[in-house]
Amino acid sequence: MGKKRFYVVWNGLEPGIYNTWDECQAQIKGVKQALYKAFDTLEEAERAYSSTPQQYIGNSAKEKSNRKPDGLPAEVIPNALAVDAACSGNPGKMEYRGVYVGTGEEIFHFGPMYGTNNIGEFLAIVHGLALLKQKGIELPIYSDSRNALLWVKQKQCKTKLPRNSKSEELFGYIERAEKWLKENRYTTTLLKWETDKWGEIPADFGRK
């Protein structure tokens, strides 16, 4: 009997850690840009699964197993999406974006559009949820906005921004986001980014 191995699937039908090649293969078969790798121990596999696949694909897992991406606190999950919004004035020109935590790569960007920072934070989370579900990718999402996380949980953007000709386009996006939340189920874990302990969220626009 061959040596026992553990298989990490970062991008597949159901990302996770699998005990056999057959189980792993079932998750990656037919998946474009599937990301997976075998490890000798469960400890290595668990460490790899909580990290970015770019640390392991095409490199020695043993050499990389104890590394974290530069600048990230030990508690932060690199294999995650971070979202943030910025607003010039509040209300004012608002924009938001999503960034892959492990590399800082910008995954999506929206705006600028007249709005508020809280609305941008809310829309950014919903944008991330919809994108991950569409792509079949299971990643947690970090947000540093307690209001936005609560609004998403309640499936309603509880903004006090007046709805008028200036904000009408934005309210169209809000309604689409609320509709998506009410009509879709998701398993994505939403996490609060602890700015006081970790510094600015990776998706921050750096305009403070």
Side-chain angles (χ1 to χ4, degrees):
M1 180 178 290
K3 183 179 179 180
K4 172 71 174 177
R5 306 201 78 187
F6 299 87
Y7 300 86
V8 173
V9 176
W10 289 281
N11 186 20
L13 297 176
E14 289 190 20
I17 299 173
Y18 295 90
N19 295 320
T20 69
W21 168 243
D22 286 343
E23 292 175 338
C24 173
Q25 192 175 38
Q27 304 306 319
I28 62 176
K29 189 174 182 180
V31 177
K32 291 183 179 180
Q33 298 180 338
L35 295 175
Y36 61 96
K37 191 175 180 68
F39 294 88
D40 292 332
T41 69
L42 180 58
E43 182 181 2
E44 284 183 326
E46 290 175 340
R47 189 181 298 118
Y49 185 56
S50 67
S51 302
T52 168
Q54 283 79 3
Q55 287 185 269
Y56 296 89
I57 301 299
N59 295 289
S60 167
K62 291 183 178 179
E63 291 176 356
K64 296 288 188 178
S65 60
N66 293 317
R67 292 185 58 187
K68 277 272 191 176
D70 291 341
L72 286 180
E75 310 97 309
V76 172
I77 302 169
N79 191 31
L81 184 69
V83 298
D84 198 25
C87 198
S88 299
N90 203 20
K93 288 185 177 180
M94 178 275 294
E95 59 188 314
Y96 68 75
R97 67 176 181 164
V99 167
Y100 185 66
V101 173
T103 63
E105 176 188 1
E106 186 175 271
I107 306 302
F108 60 80
H109 179 273
F110 174 89
M113 173 181 289
Y114 179 78
T116 68
N117 197 69
N118 278 336
I119 293 174
E121 301 274 10
F122 169 78
L123 293 176
I125 297 173
V126 180
H127 191 143
L129 288 171
L131 179 64
L132 292 176
K133 183 170 184 178
Q134 178 189 30
K135 299 292 185 182
I137 300 174
E138 194 69 30
L139 296 179
I141 295 178
Y142 281 108
S143 170
D144 62 8
S145 172
R146 294 187 186 279
N147 281 340
L149 289 166
L150 180 61
W151 290 355
V152 170
K153 183 178 180 180
Q154 296 174 340
K155 306 182 191 302
Q156 185 179 5
C157 179
K158 296 187 176 182
T159 180
K160 295 181 180 179
L161 181 71
R163 184 166 186 169
N164 52 38
S165 59
K166 198 170 184 179
S167 62
E168 183 61 32
E169 184 178 8
L170 178 66
F171 271 88
Y173 286 100
I174 292 173
E175 289 176 347
R176 284 170 54 185
E178 291 175 338
K179 185 174 186 290
W180 189 93
L181 289 171
K182 291 170 183 176
E183 294 180 353
N184 288 270
R185 300 184 66 180
Y186 58 87
T187 57
T188 303
T189 302
L190 299 180
L191 302 172
K192 174 67 171 64
W193 181 269
E194 302 297 341
T195 305
D196 291 344
K197 293 193 297 183
W198 304 336
E200 295 296 343
I201 193 167
D204 182 65
F205 284 84
R207 298 175 187 167
K208 294 179 179 64

